[in-house]
Amino acid sequence: MLLRFNRLIALIIFNLLIFQLIAMAQPPANVVVIQGRITRDSTLTADKQYLLRGFVTVERGATLRIEPGTVIYGDKETKGTLIVKRGGKIIANGTKDKPIVFTSAQPVGRRAAGDWGGIIILGEAPVNTPTGTAVIEGGIPPEDGTYGGTNPDDSSGVFRYVRIEFPGIAYTPDNEINGLTMGGVGRKTLIEYVQVSFSGDDAFEWFGGNVNAKYLISYKNLDDDFDSDLGWNGKVQFAIALRDPAIADISGSNGFESDNDPTGSFNNPRTSPIFSNVTLVGPMPDTNFTGYNANYRRGLHLRRATLTNLYNGVIIGWPTGIFLDGSAVARAAQNDTLQIRNTVIAGIRAASQVTTNVSGFDARAWFLTSGYANRIYPIVDSIRMCAAFDLANPRPLPCPGSPLIGMASFANPRLQDPFFTNVNWVGAFGPDAAQRWDIGWTNYDPQNTDYSRFLKVYEKVSDLPTQFELKQNYPNPFNPETVIEFSIPKSGRVSLVVYNAIGQEVARLIDENLESGSYKVKFNGGNLPSGIYIYKLSAEGRSISRKMVLVK
């Protein structure tokens, strides 16, 4: 038994080169457990599924590539987390049709925020600490969690068409891992089309650096949607936050939370990101609604000397729209170094639309300054936004006749950058279905998604079979998925292979040592043409074959 185990581990290590792997208790047939340090270039392929166990680090000089369509689980017990260290790279370049998914390892219906850690990307771009570096939150040791440097052109790779589901675990109180955490990430890093759902802390958090991002979705997360700190000065266009009224963090949940640093110093570089075309959908579908979590706070909470800027935005359904917190932020607004332009507030009670704690500063009057082109509407219906509060099927785009159409402007000098796409609407989405950049790669119901249907997975259903047997698949004919059952009375090497009508192998469902027992195997023929297929079971020096029919 020990020899077989060692041979299996040696084979996996040989194939993956750099992963330290350990066996999982009763894993599906093709689960690869990843733990420890990734020290050489390596690839995760879409024909397998992976489990992150503990803190998994991509070391300096190593590149981790992830194929489109790959599913990676985070282990709950060990707070599985992927950390791309300074000098390491991740190339997670999914596609619209085949996004890369990081998700909970818990069964359908039993997943929850904080089921695993999250994704942490660290770079060597500037941060505003006195030393020029810092250690990321979440209990990461300094040797793995240090970020920052002097290279604004640093690249940590590509993170594109990626979903992150049920992450955000509290290592200790006020020391949490977010959905996607970026520390000192440089502007040569490409981040776009990323959805974070059901995070136990923030969805997206930037600590310094100057990385840009486009097409971001924060869906039903616990704490803040877009959090910035320690001198981040990147750009974001097309982003949306959708909130569950029942879920908020005890620390107070906001759409934006932005600090220059935790002490509110004026250290450089200043936190001064530029956001355009952002929609922040709060927990209140109308101003009379009271059935939301009492820990909800503001659409924008700008504090501690931040210089965050928002253009062409929409803020709806929050207890407070904008809160300019502290004299440094108020002065920045009055001096026009902090700007909010062409932005709409709707469905927020009059006394809470734009507020401050600075005596003598009329924040609402500042927001409505002539020439800023900001607007306030008392009810959400006034802006004619289609189904923004329908969380099961969100359509937060302007309907025909909406004042959001034609309101955008990119004349501001801060938007004169090729990064920004000039559009004529404010908010994340335009009025046409073709402008729904979230279609095709997102998932608004990850709780009930059975990711195993995309993978080769077996289930042991009995320990005491009496004979070597291969049953007829069911359903048969099938499209595109069917189940194959077999029994082996003795432990040993087992293979289950699918062939087409001319004898070519099209799928190898099992090829490994199994204990005696009866098993069920899922087979998905979604990538195969209609026709007759043969599935063959081999074990104990014997083979059995049966026919099945795929009809599309």
Side-chain angles (χ1 to χ4, degrees):
M1 184 67 180
L2 180 59
L3 181 59
R4 287 188 310 193
F5 180 82
N6 289 338
R7 286 175 177 171
L8 177 60
I9 292 298
L11 179 61
I12 295 172
I13 292 175
F14 175 79
N15 288 336
L16 293 179
L17 296 176
I18 47 73
F19 292 134
Q20 298 179 28
L21 305 173
I22 59 177
M24 215 174 91
Q26 297 183 344
N30 57 345
V31 161
V32 177
V33 181
I34 307 172
Q35 65 176 17
R37 302 183 183 279
I38 298 173
T39 59
R40 301 180 186 176
D41 292 354
S42 56
T43 301
L44 306 186
T45 57
D47 63 337
K48 299 180 178 69
Q49 54 182 330
Y50 300 86
L51 182 78
L52 297 171
R53 178 165 285 168
F55 292 157
V56 177
T57 60
V58 180
E59 298 290 308
R60 178 177 291 276
T63 297
L64 175 64
R65 289 178 171 83
I66 305 177
E67 288 186 350
T70 303
V71 177
I72 303 106
Y73 302 97
D75 182 50
K76 185 170 185 176
E77 181 180 356
T78 62
K79 304 178 182 180
T81 301
L82 180 63
I83 305 166
V84 181
K85 294 172 61 173
R86 291 192 299 176
K89 281 187 171 59
I90 183 169
I91 307 297
N93 194 12
T95 66
K96 181 178 180 179
D97 297 329
K98 294 181 178 180
I100 294 164
V101 181
F102 292 87
T103 193
S104 168
Q106 301 303 300
V108 169
R110 290 168 52 189
R111 299 162 184 161
D115 271 350
W116 60 290
I119 310 298
I120 298 173
I121 302 176
L122 306 175
E124 297 181 303
V127 300
N128 67 12
T129 62
T131 62
T133 62
V135 177
I136 206 68
E137 294 180 350
I140 315 299
E143 62 269 24
D144 295 328
T146 297
Y147 62 93
T150 59
N151 182 13
D153 291 323
D154 187 35
S155 173
S156 296
V158 176
F159 205 72
R160 187 169 184 265
Y161 285 112
V162 178
R163 298 203 305 264
I164 304 171
E165 301 167 351
F166 305 100
I169 196 164
Y171 187 80
T172 59
D174 298 319
N175 191 12
E176 301 92 357
I177 299 173
N178 306 292
L180 177 59
T181 304
M182 294 155 279
V185 178
R187 61 188 168 211
K188 291 294 182 69
T189 307
L190 177 63
I191 295 179
E192 60 181 20
Y193 299 102
V194 181
Q195 180 183 19
V196 177
S197 303
F198 295 95
S199 173
D201 197 57
D202 300 336
F204 300 88
E205 185 157 9
W206 295 266
F207 293 94
N210 51 3
V211 65
N212 305 318
K214 270 188 174 178
Y215 311 112
L216 305 181
I217 299 174
S218 174
Y219 180 69
K220 290 191 176 183
N221 295 295
L222 182 66
D223 198 2
D224 306 318
D225 297 295
F226 306 103
D227 196 331
S228 51
D229 204 343
L230 292 183
W232 174 55
N233 51 66
K235 297 177 283 289
V236 172
Q237 188 179 22
F238 306 121
I240 186 165
L242 300 164
R243 303 298 305 219
D244 184 335
I247 300 171
D249 190 66
I250 192 171
S251 66
S253 296
N254 306 288
F256 282 18
E257 183 175 272
S258 184
D259 308 332
N260 189 50
D261 66 13
T263 67
S265 80
F266 294 95
N267 288 349
N268 287 313
R270 292 287 291 276
T271 297
S272 53
I274 298 173
F275 286 87
S276 183
N277 297 95
V278 176
T279 299
L280 302 175
V281 180
M284 302 167 54
D286 62 67
T287 55
N288 295 319
F289 181 74
T290 59
Y292 62 88
N293 191 297
N295 292 314
Y296 272 109
R297 296 292 185 265
R298 302 113 182 169
L300 267 64
H301 186 186
L302 308 182
R303 63 183 188 177
R304 297 175 180 167
T306 184
L307 297 178
T308 290
N309 304 277
L310 175 62
Y311 305 89
N312 306 312
V314 175
I315 306 166
I316 59 175
W318 288 84
T320 295
I322 299 172
F323 180 39
L324 303 178
D325 186 353
S327 58
V329 171
R331 283 196 304 271
Q334 292 170 305
N335 294 336
D336 209 28
T337 51
L338 182 156
Q339 296 184 349
I340 299 178
R341 302 284 195 272
N342 299 86
T343 290
V344 167
I345 292 174
I348 295 173
R349 300 181 184 108
S352 304
Q353 292 160 348
V354 187
T355 65
T356 186
N357 54 5
V358 178
S359 178
F361 173 47
D362 188 337
R364 190 177 190 276
W366 164 81
F367 179 79
L368 294 174
T369 297
S370 177
Y372 289 2
N374 297 318
R375 302 180 190 177
I376 296 177
Y377 295 87
I379 60 174
V380 173
D381 288 347
S382 299
I383 64 172
R384 297 182 59 81
M385 183 173 280
C386 305
F389 294 93
D390 181 355
L391 297 179
N393 183 29
R395 289 180 295 118
L397 62 157
C399 292
S402 169
L404 306 181
I405 303 170
M407 183 182 165
S409 173
F410 289 82
N412 192 289
R414 298 184 185 183
L415 300 178
Q416 301 303 300
D417 187 297
F419 170 82
F420 292 105
T421 303
N422 287 20
V423 296
N424 74 340
W425 66 82
V426 301
F429 296 110
D432 301 329
Q435 294 154 350
R436 283 288 301 275
W437 46 262
D438 64 325
I439 298 299
W441 62 277
T442 55
N443 185 353
Y444 294 112
D445 188 20
Q447 179 63 259
N448 295 301
T449 301
D450 180 8
Y451 289 108
S452 68
R453 73 180 185 273
F454 303 111
L455 305 162
K456 305 189 292 286
V457 177
Y458 69 72
E459 174 188 3
K460 189 175 183 180
V461 295
S462 172
D463 290 323
L464 299 172
T466 58
Q467 60 182 340
F468 181 71
E469 182 180 16
L470 178 64
K471 295 183 178 180
Q472 185 65 50
N473 66 298
Y474 62 92
N476 189 45
F478 67 99
N479 179 28
E481 187 173 274
T482 189
V483 175
I484 299 169
E485 292 191 37
F486 67 89
S487 299
I488 50 171
K490 296 181 180 179
S491 302
R493 192 74 183 182
V494 176
S495 69
L496 181 62
V497 183
V498 180
Y499 301 90
N500 61 20
I502 60 174
Q504 296 172 321
E505 181 179 320
V506 297
R508 184 166 289 267
L509 304 182
I510 293 179
D511 188 5
E512 63 186 273
N513 291 314
L514 295 182
E515 300 295 328
S516 63
S518 297
Y519 294 83
K520 290 183 179 180
V521 181
K522 291 182 180 180
F523 171 61
N524 191 304
N527 63 338
L528 297 173
S530 297
I532 296 174
Y533 292 86
I534 309 298
Y535 56 102
K536 179 180 179 181
L537 175 70
S538 299
E540 306 173 30
R542 303 169 59 187
S543 296
I544 308 176
S545 299
R546 291 188 180 274
K547 294 181 181 179
M548 58 183 173
V549 181
L550 173 61
V551 179
K552 295 186 175 180

